[in-house]
Amino acid sequence: MKFSNGCWLQKEGCSCFAPAEAYFTKIEEKKVTICAPTTHIVTRGDTLGGVNLTLEITSPAPEILRVRTYHYKGEVVNTPSFELELNEALPLDVKDSEEEISIASGELTLVITKKSWSMTYYRNGEMITRSAGRDLALMKTDFKGLAYNYTDSEETYMRQMLSLSVGELVYGMGERFTPFVKNGQSVDIWNADGGTSTEQSYKNIPFYLTNKGYGVLVNHSEKVSFEVATEMVTRTEFSVEGGYLDYFLINGPTMKEVLTRYTDLTGKPSLPAPWTFGLWLSTSFTTNYDEATVMSFIDGMLDRGIPLRTFHFDCFWMKEFHWSDFVWDSRVFPDPAGLLKRIKDKGLNICVWINSYIGQESDIFDEGMEKGYFIKRTNGRVWQWDMWQPGMALVDFTNPDAYKWYQDKLEVLLDMGVDCFKTDFGERIPTEDVVYFDGSDPKKMHNYYTYLYNKCVYELLERKRGKGQAVLFARSATVGGQKFPVHWGGDCWSDYESMEESLRGGLSLLMSGFGFWAHDIGGFENTSTADVYKRWVAFGLLSSHSRLHGSSSYRVPWVYDDEAVDVVRFFTRLKASLMPYLYKTAIETSISGVPTMRSMVLEFTEDKTCHYVDKQYMLGDNLLVAPVFNDQSLAEYYLPKGTWTDFFTGEEKEGCGWFTEKCDYLSIPLMVKENSIVAMGAHDDKPDYDYGDDAELRLYALKDGKSAEAVVYGMDKTEEIAMTAKRDGNQIQIAVKSDKVYRIRLVNVIAISVSQGEVKIDKKDTVISLSGNADLTVTF
């Protein structure tokens, strides 16, 4: 939200109350409290009125400082609030003098000058950002004087501006389809069902990080308005309604470390089960389907050698107007339990669509209404409207009985054979004339509703299927939603522009604490050309999760052309063979919070070209993926400094430059970073198998004096193979810990001698077959 009229003036009717000085400071072991009047106190008479702000500064974890600023503390509403991992605050390192107060947590220090107010954050003595003058302020947009009896929510906002230095760029704020770098954008954190082609977003996260290696979480579940180098071009501004502001500043110094600390605070991405990484196929949305259609799709995929792993039933598994009552439409699915069994007998898992909106024609509407399980209006009646489902109500997840009731309805489906749920919607949550069971503030609940919705379903899945087996396909999210994966990008069109914006939105989400992401392969609205479909397939199957889904048309490949079948088969099998590498990456994501799919700036922050690159990404530590976004079959991509190896051809390229090349449909720029070991599995017919059994560990472009390492985990997360390699001149020392049979492939290396193992030369590569622990020397 913008308050200024240029550099010096405020907008008409707007009054600004900013700290003038730090008048009192109260220093405790774990908290510093500052009384900051908004006018200078010269005489005792100056203390008899006026606006004071109170600041409380604490540290919930090393390298994180929390700043809470109050006008009227008694009006602060804390429900609902994000579920943060807030242990007891840490002791602070405080230095107090007449001129300033310094508050440190680890290498992060906040220095507040007392007489002429300013707040400056330092990392090891180097300034990273600051706030001064009127940057931190209580803003009154219709100020009527001190004697006017108003509440702190009337035309009142609290804002902070933090400086941006030369070349500093801002990222994150959830899934945003606007430009990847947020500088120059006004961003409202407000969940909306707007598709992927507007500034609206399904997943709004009031967190940003910069290429300077720090991040900011604004700890408000209601609307947070960001002005990123807009109102003031050297500031990132954030503001909230009311007279209270709570934010955390998180030190890196690397962007990855910021994400690790952010997810320490908000929750780590939960690890999805191995089967979820395989190919999902949907009925699509408004298409006609019954049991015969479903089985023809499944058999058609399997008969064509495409290892389908999960089948998804979209909305019309239930009767129209009945969403959601969780009852199968008997007109098209007369024997749902039998159908599910027949699908599972083919080795597939099953997902069904749900949402938390209960239409008036639903079989469970009356029950929910009579028991008080729906959100109500202020007059005590059920809140209903006709958008999406006629007469629909919304489940009130703040009511513990409604929470359990919703789980009980879903549990019937799990007992029938369903494995997981697509938790759709959760964005259009009302804020006017609304009452929640627990008295939650409706404005704070608008974004937060999706957290309770997805948590409710995820907890049920963990209880019924076991920890590590729960998975959602969720569309909406807020802070902490990463604990309930997987999230997909929402409703996109079926063209290259939408494919590009989907990736942009995904990378933005993955810069906001989320670890796993999917999108509708082929696009959702309309029907793509065969060309777009085939390019999207390559992109989709080199994403963490992969689903074929559409709106009014099917997404099975044979409806496009025969070549599309080949493309889906090829990339589905490629992903299955990459599972030892992908699963290792996923485990690391669940531990560190660093996402599986990484923007180039996150992985190569020192390379300034990477700061703006948003049409390619790193898949884990070692693989670079550059989708093709045009019908000329031209791939355009950037390689940072170093030697990169084409995964398919073995051709090596020296980076620090742009490349353009023609790609057929069974190709995509998939480049391997130097000094990498990529573990490949022995199976390509499913994503879940023993990854360590007969695995192949491929060593790429190991430079003199450098080392590389890799781990292969079993599906139970136990370490099955650990390999290290170090190069000294024309020798590579390799050590492996394993009780498995495996192979080591030295890509583009012809060995002269190998100290142990069965050796063969495969084209330009040396392949060594081994069993169990090994220490070997390769001379080349």
Side-chain angles (χ1 to χ4, degrees):
M1 182 172 180
K2 298 177 182 177
F3 302 95
S4 304
N5 176 14
C7 188
W8 297 281
L9 305 178
Q10 305 299 320
K11 286 185 175 180
E12 184 177 351
C14 188
S15 299
C16 175
F17 299 90
E21 60 180 282
Y23 190 73
F24 285 128
T25 58
K26 179 182 178 182
I27 301 172
E28 302 170 82
E29 181 188 16
K30 299 177 181 178
K31 181 168 71 173
V32 173
T33 305
I34 299 174
C35 171
T38 60
T39 57
H40 284 287
I41 306 302
V42 179
T43 70
R44 285 187 171 183
D46 295 331
T47 67
L48 301 181
V51 174
N52 273 15
L53 300 181
T54 303
L55 280 77
E56 294 177 349
I57 300 159
T58 56
S59 175
E63 308 298 336
I64 302 176
L65 288 174
R66 181 182 192 180
V67 179
R68 283 174 281 190
T69 305
Y70 303 89
H71 180 216
Y72 293 159
K73 194 171 184 178
E75 288 201 7
V76 173
V77 177
N78 288 320
T79 55
S81 57
F82 298 133
E83 291 187 351
L84 303 181
E85 302 292 331
L86 291 175
N87 300 318
E88 186 177 356
L90 299 178
L92 296 166
D93 180 6
V94 181
K95 295 180 176 63
D96 190 24
S97 70
E98 188 174 335
E99 293 78 24
E100 65 183 31
I101 183 168
S102 167
I103 307 159
S105 175
E107 297 177 353
L108 178 65
T109 302
L110 169 60
V111 175
I112 297 176
T113 55
K114 292 183 176 180
K115 296 302 182 183
S116 179
W117 179 271
S118 69
M119 304 171 66
T120 307
Y121 290 92
Y122 294 92
R123 177 195 301 130
N124 275 338
E126 178 187 356
M127 190 196 86
I128 54 176
T129 189
R130 75 188 303 262
S131 163
R134 296 180 297 187
D135 289 345
L136 174 65
L138 177 78
M139 305 301 299
K140 290 285 186 180
T141 55
D142 187 22
F143 185 57
K144 296 181 175 65
L146 296 176
Y148 179 75
N149 183 24
Y150 55 82
T151 68
D152 225 10
S153 60
E154 284 184 88
E155 305 296 333
T156 302
Y157 300 85
M158 190 73 81
R159 70 121 185 259
Q160 173 67 297
M161 293 184 181
L162 294 176
S163 65
L164 294 170
S165 56
V166 175
E168 186 173 358
L169 303 176
V170 174
Y171 306 88
M173 302 185 189
E175 174 194 55
R176 315 221 73 85
F177 306 105
T178 54
F180 180 58
V181 174
K182 301 304 182 291
N183 296 51
Q185 297 184 46
S186 300
V187 176
D188 283 341
I189 302 299
W190 192 250
N191 285 357
D193 178 5
T196 68
S197 56
T198 74
E199 64 183 357
Q200 294 183 3
S201 169
Y202 306 103
K203 309 169 190 68
N204 288 265
I205 311 298
F207 165 77
Y208 70 87
L209 73 166
T210 88
N211 56 356
K212 205 167 180 179
Y214 69 91
V216 175
L217 167 63
V218 183
N219 188 29
H220 290 260
S221 61
E222 68 268 37
K223 180 188 286 187
V224 180
S225 293
F226 286 93
E227 297 293 338
V228 187
T230 51
E231 184 171 19
M232 296 293 171
V233 297
T234 59
R235 299 285 192 273
T236 294
E237 173 186 331
F238 43 92
S239 60
V240 294
E241 187 177 32
Y244 169 62
L245 178 63
D246 180 9
Y247 73 92
F248 299 82
L249 193 134
I250 306 169
N251 183 32
T254 69
M255 298 178 81
K256 286 184 178 180
E257 287 171 302
V258 173
L259 287 178
T260 294
R261 293 193 171 105
Y262 170 77
T263 52
D264 286 342
L265 191 62
T266 61
K268 297 297 180 185
S270 296
L271 177 66
W275 61 265
T276 69
F277 292 83
L279 180 60
W280 298 47
L281 174 64
S282 163
T283 57
S284 289
F285 172 30
T286 59
T287 52
N288 292 318
Y289 52 87
D290 53 17
E291 178 171 345
T293 310
V294 168
M295 295 310 294
S296 73
F297 285 168
I298 293 172
D299 290 337
M301 297 288 276
L302 299 179
D303 291 346
R304 289 170 172 84
I306 300 172
L308 185 63
R309 191 59 185 82
T310 301
F311 191 82
H312 167 70
F313 291 86
D314 215 56
C315 312
F316 283 96
W317 68 272
M318 293 178 280
K319 290 180 182 178
E320 58 272 25
F321 295 121
H322 282 234
W323 306 341
S324 293
D325 60 10
F326 315 116
V327 177
W328 291 83
D329 183 353
S330 59
R331 298 170 300 176
V332 287
F333 298 115
D335 177 25
L339 171 60
L340 300 187
K341 182 180 184 304
R342 288 186 282 277
I343 294 174
K344 294 177 86 71
D345 286 345
K346 294 179 180 291
L348 273 65
N349 286 73
I350 296 163
C351 175
V352 298
W353 177 95
I354 60 170
N355 71 14
S356 60
Y357 309 156
I358 312 298
Q360 189 165 285
E361 303 304 320
S362 164
D363 288 349
I364 63 174
F365 182 88
D366 288 350
E367 179 186 2
M369 179 178 64
E370 291 162 6
K371 293 184 176 180
Y373 292 161
F374 299 144
I375 293 170
K376 294 182 179 179
R377 296 189 181 273
T378 52
N379 62 11
R381 298 169 186 165
V382 174
W383 195 98
Q384 292 178 261
W385 73 341
D386 296 325
M387 183 68 181
W388 177 243
Q389 287 291 282
M392 66 170 234
L394 295 87
V395 176
D396 185 350
F397 291 106
T398 73
N399 181 340
D401 292 336
Y403 195 94
K404 183 179 183 304
W405 174 74
Y406 194 77
Q407 289 181 330
D408 289 345
K409 300 301 181 184
L410 298 182
E411 188 168 1
V412 175
L413 294 167
L414 296 179
D415 290 340
M416 187 182 293
V418 170
D419 295 293
C420 57
F421 298 103
K422 172 183 170 181
T423 49
D424 207 353
F425 289 79
E427 303 94 0
R428 287 194 176 116
I429 307 302
T431 58
E432 302 295 331
D433 191 23
V434 173
V435 176
Y436 283 90
F437 176 85
D438 72 346
S440 284
D441 180 349
K443 290 182 179 179
K444 286 179 172 287
M445 276 298 300
H446 173 84
N447 289 337
Y448 193 72
Y449 182 90
T450 178
Y451 183 86
L452 296 179
Y453 166 32
N454 283 294
K455 179 183 179 183
C456 175
V457 180
Y458 197 84
E459 284 181 345
L460 170 68
L461 288 165
E462 283 197 321
R463 173 165 59 83
K464 293 291 289 185
R465 291 290 179 259
K467 208 167 180 66
Q469 290 295 316
V471 67
L472 306 176
F473 234 84
R475 189 173 76 174
S476 56
T478 188
V479 171
Q482 66 269 14
K483 294 181 287 188
F484 319 125
V486 170
H487 292 80
W488 102 96
D491 297 348
C492 51
W493 296 89
S494 300
D495 50 36
Y496 279 120
E497 291 77 12
S498 296
M499 181 175 156
E500 179 198 21
E501 72 201 17
S502 293
L503 174 57
R504 196 163 57 239
L507 291 179
S508 186
L509 180 70
L510 294 161
M511 294 281 269
S512 307
F514 286 69
F516 307 96
W517 175 72
H519 42 98
D520 289 341
I521 297 175
F524 179 72
E525 298 288 2
N526 291 350
T527 303
S528 74
T529 63
D531 170 67
V532 168
Y533 178 83
K534 286 177 279 196
R535 294 303 183 191
W536 209 320
V537 163
F539 165 38
L541 281 156
L542 288 169
S543 300
S544 85
H545 286 75
S546 311
R547 183 182 68 160
L548 294 164
H549 179 63
S551 179
S552 57
S553 56
Y554 303 122
R555 291 292 177 265
V556 290
W558 53 88
V559 303
Y560 294 89
D561 59 31
D562 290 340
E563 188 178 37
V565 174
D566 297 334
V567 173
V568 174
R569 180 194 306 112
F570 177 83
F571 284 102
T572 305
R573 289 184 175 273
L574 171 65
K575 188 176 186 183
S577 68
L578 279 168
M579 275 304 297
Y581 171 80
L582 295 175
Y583 193 56
K584 181 265 297 183
T585 298
I587 289 173
E588 292 172 349
T589 290
S590 71
I591 295 169
S592 70
V594 177
T596 51
M597 300 169 67
R598 304 163 190 176
S599 64
M600 297 301 291
V601 67
L602 184 62
E603 196 70 30
F604 300 97
T605 311
E606 299 305 313
D607 186 332
K608 295 189 183 301
T609 301
C610 289
H611 292 187
Y612 290 90
V613 174
D614 60 3
K615 297 176 185 61
Q616 61 187 64
Y617 55 94
M618 294 295 294
L619 183 59
D621 295 326
N622 308 120
L623 297 180
L624 184 153
V625 182
V628 176
F629 290 106
N630 58 77
D631 59 7
Q632 288 84 46
S633 299
L634 287 177
E636 299 175 295
Y637 58 97
Y638 175 77
L639 296 179
K641 184 179 179 180
T643 300
W644 295 81
T645 307
D646 188 305
F647 179 87
F648 298 113
T649 67
E651 179 188 357
E652 292 184 350
K653 295 182 179 181
E654 289 303 315
C656 210
W658 287 91
F659 295 83
T660 301
E661 62 188 53
K662 278 261 190 183
C663 294
D664 62 31
Y665 289 116
L666 297 181
S667 179
I668 184 175
L670 180 59
M671 308 299 294
V672 189
K673 189 171 67 174
E674 67 182 26
N675 306 316
S676 293
I677 301 173
V678 176
M680 302 290 294
H683 296 271
D684 65 0
D685 57 343
K686 57 183 177 180
D688 43 336
Y689 54 90
D690 186 343
Y691 301 135
D693 189 19
D694 204 25
E696 181 173 282
L697 294 99
R698 299 183 179 180
L699 178 62
Y700 290 88
L702 186 61
K703 299 299 184 179
D704 192 15
K706 298 294 184 179
S707 60
E709 59 183 33
V711 177
V712 177
Y713 293 96
M715 288 192 294
D716 59 357
K717 296 189 288 184
T718 58
E719 187 177 292
E720 295 193 340
I721 304 176
M723 172 180 163
T724 60
K726 184 174 182 179
R727 179 177 168 184
D728 183 7
N730 64 341
Q731 285 193 331
I732 299 175
Q733 304 292 331
I734 296 174
V736 183
K737 293 182 179 179
S738 176
D739 58 1
K740 297 281 187 176
V741 174
Y742 57 92
R743 294 182 308 282
I744 298 171
R745 180 182 291 268
L746 308 181
V747 178
N748 291 330
V749 172
I750 301 297
I752 298 172
S753 65
V754 179
S755 59
Q756 70 177 92
E758 182 181 335
V759 182
K760 70 173 183 176
I761 304 300
D762 182 0
K763 296 182 181 177
K764 296 185 295 181
D765 305 342
T766 298
V767 182
I768 309 163
S769 298
L770 295 157
S771 178
N773 294 334
D775 289 287
L776 58 150
T777 301
V778 178
T779 303
F780 61 96

